[in-house]
């Protein structure tokens, strides 16, 4: 999974990136200190892996990972070359979802690029830049399609759809709220890889005081939540500064630090939950003496396709899957114990994999 972190300059974007990835992207109180998109890969925390690895005495644990791309602070006119220009918008096209960091705290020592704190205005500024960038993509596509549309029904159909889609964006609406009329249109739409079609998670960056009640008493956060609801986006509340402090601690210290603040989970854990929920993702597990590992798949994936995540041969030569729920496996103390109690299912090609399934695939190529 690849997530792009965007936001205006000085909203806490690179501070958040640093804390999530410990990658040390330079963070300073001035715009554009992130000159190239910084990339960091983060392991998805999953206590199930540790417990299974103990059970199997595994040599190594391989968690699922998320790749974060930190894009330079966008400003008004970025799509037309203002600030660091459109090159950074191209980097976001490659991600699965956008994490939009919004400033929800007052601090006179940290300059706001527009002179005051207003989350909804900031969201609109970024959205407009993404819309302008998408319109540019559509203009180029339309110019190509219109040349052959007179003699080709498929291109004529695409041109008609682009005209509707452009009108939709020009009204300030995001592509994700555009409705395609049939499978052909859906295929055209998917091929454009539009920024405003990507799922969005809003990271409401607050000060320490707003963290304890998850931003419930913060008017800025309330406004972001209302807005997110209107477009079916996820919101999580974070204090980037505290996340950065926590990034320096080991696991035990981190646990104590969170308890002192009255928090149950870190910002990274909140973000991962929001990402999995928004993208409809789950993890299944494989375990053995050599390795215990998490594999990320989309909800609704059937056993052969889940096997294909490990290797294409597993999918091609799929015979069956031996499946046990990880909690049942731990409770029984061994795979043999779970089998004895009838808790291991022998599943075929139509089995839909569930979160927390521990699977042994049988295949023959």
């Amino acid at each position: 999974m690849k997530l792009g972190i965007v936001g205006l300059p000085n909203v806490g974007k690179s501070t958040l990136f640093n804390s999530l990835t410990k990658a040390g992207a330079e963070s300073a109180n001035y715009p554009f200190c992130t000159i190239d998109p910084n990339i960091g890969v983060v392991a998805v925390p999953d206590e199930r892996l540790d417990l299974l690895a103990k059970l199997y005495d595994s040599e190594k644990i391989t968690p699922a990972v998320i790749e974060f791309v930190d894009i330079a602070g966008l400003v008004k006119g970025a799509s037309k070359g203002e600030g660091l220009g459109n090159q950074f918008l191209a980097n976001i096209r490659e991600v699965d979802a956008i994490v939009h960091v919004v400033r929800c705290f007052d601090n006179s020592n940290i300059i706001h690029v527009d002179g005051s704190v207003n989350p909804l205005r900031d969201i609109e500024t970024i959205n407009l830049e993404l819309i302008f960038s998408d319109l540019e993509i559509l203009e180029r596509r339309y110019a190509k399609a219109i040349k052959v549309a007179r003699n080709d029904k498929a291109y004529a159909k695409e041109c008609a759809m682009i005209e509707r889609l452009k009108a939709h964006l020009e009204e300030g609406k995001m592509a994700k709220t555009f409705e395609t009329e049939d499978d052909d249109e859906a295929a055209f739409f998917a091929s454009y890889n539009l920024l405003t079609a990507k799922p969005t998670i809003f990271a409401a960056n607050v000060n320490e005081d707003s963290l304890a009640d998850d931003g419930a008493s913060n008017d800025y956060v309330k406004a972001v939540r209302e807005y997110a609801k209107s477009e079916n986006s996820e919101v999580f509340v974070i204090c980037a500064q505290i996340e950065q402090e926590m990034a320096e601690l080991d696991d035990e210290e981190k646990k104590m630090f969170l308890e002192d603040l009255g928090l149950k989970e870190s910002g990274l854990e909140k973000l991962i939950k929001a990402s999995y929920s928004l993208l409809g993702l789950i993890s299944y597990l494989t375990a053995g003496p050599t390795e215990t590992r998490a594999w990320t798949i989309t909800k609704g994936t059937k056993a052969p396709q889940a096997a294909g995540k490990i290797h294409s041969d597993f999918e091609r030569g799929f015979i069956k899957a031996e499946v046990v729920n990880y909690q049942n496996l731990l409770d029984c103390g061994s795979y043999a114990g779970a089998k004895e109690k009838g808790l291991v299912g022998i599943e075929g090609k139509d089995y839909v994999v569930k979160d927390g399934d521990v699977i042994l695939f049988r295949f023959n190529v």
Side-chain angles (χ1 to χ4, degrees), residues 10 14 31 284 302:
N10 295 342
S14 291
Y284 76 86
K302 291 186 177 177

Side-chain angles (χ1 to χ4, degrees), residues 238-293:
I238 195 164
C239 175
Q241 201 55 53
I242 281 181
E243 290 297 317
Q244 194 165 33
E245 287 170 30
M246 268 200 296
E248 309 303 319
L249 307 175
D250 63 33
D251 288 347
E252 202 47 50
E253 290 171 327
K254 203 176 285 183
K255 203 174 167 188
M256 286 166 64
F257 190 80
L258 284 169
E259 279 171 10
D260 288 347
L261 290 169
L263 301 174
K264 288 178 182 164
E265 54 191 357
S266 69
L268 175 61
E269 288 164 315
K270 282 186 189 175
L271 174 53
I272 287 167
K273 274 186 187 167
S275 310
Y276 271 62
S277 165
L278 189 68
L279 296 171
L281 300 175
I282 59 169
S283 292
Y284 76 86
L285 313 162
T286 53
T290 309
E291 179 187 48
T292 290
R293 182 165 183 165

Side-chain angles (χ1 to χ4, degrees), residues 3 5 17 20-21 38-40 42 66-70 268 271:
L3 301 177
I5 303 179
F17 175 81
L20 294 177
T21 64
N38 287 276
I39 295 175
V42 177
I66 294 180
E67 189 174 303
F68 288 102
V69 184
D70 180 28
L268 175 61
L271 174 53

Side-chain angles (χ1 to χ4, degrees), residues 30-51:
Y30 55 90
F32 312 130
C33 59
T34 314
I35 302 300
D36 292 310
N38 287 276
I39 295 175
V41 177
V42 177
V44 174
D46 192 339
E47 64 172 9
R48 300 176 299 189
L49 293 176
D50 298 320
L51 297 168

Side-chain angles (χ1 to χ4, degrees), residues 227-247:
Y227 177 84
K229 211 185 290 175
S230 72
E231 58 163 58
N232 292 322
S233 294
E234 295 272 339
V235 180
F236 75 105
V237 173
I238 195 164
C239 175
Q241 201 55 53
I242 281 181
E243 290 297 317
Q244 194 165 33
E245 287 170 30
M246 268 200 296

Side-chain angles (χ1 to χ4, degrees), residues 169-210:
L169 293 173
E170 281 162 359
E171 286 174 14
K173 295 173 186 168
M174 306 293 269
K176 68 182 86 170
T177 61
F178 179 78
E179 289 183 16
T180 53
E181 292 181 352
D182 56 30
D183 290 346
D184 290 339
E185 286 198 354
F188 294 141
F189 184 86
S191 72
Y192 307 143
N193 202 12
L194 298 176
L195 298 174
T196 60
K198 292 187 183 295
T200 303
I201 302 158
F202 291 100
N205 188 15
V206 300
N207 56 25
E208 191 180 329
D209 297 342
S210 293

Side-chain angles (χ1 to χ4, degrees), residues 106-128:
D106 292 306
N107 185 335
S108 55
N109 295 322
I110 299 175
I111 310 145
H112 189 290
V113 75
D114 285 329
S116 62
V117 178
N118 183 334
L120 295 186
R121 178 200 60 211
D122 295 354
I123 289 170
E124 193 178 306
T125 298
I126 297 287
N127 283 354
L128 281 174

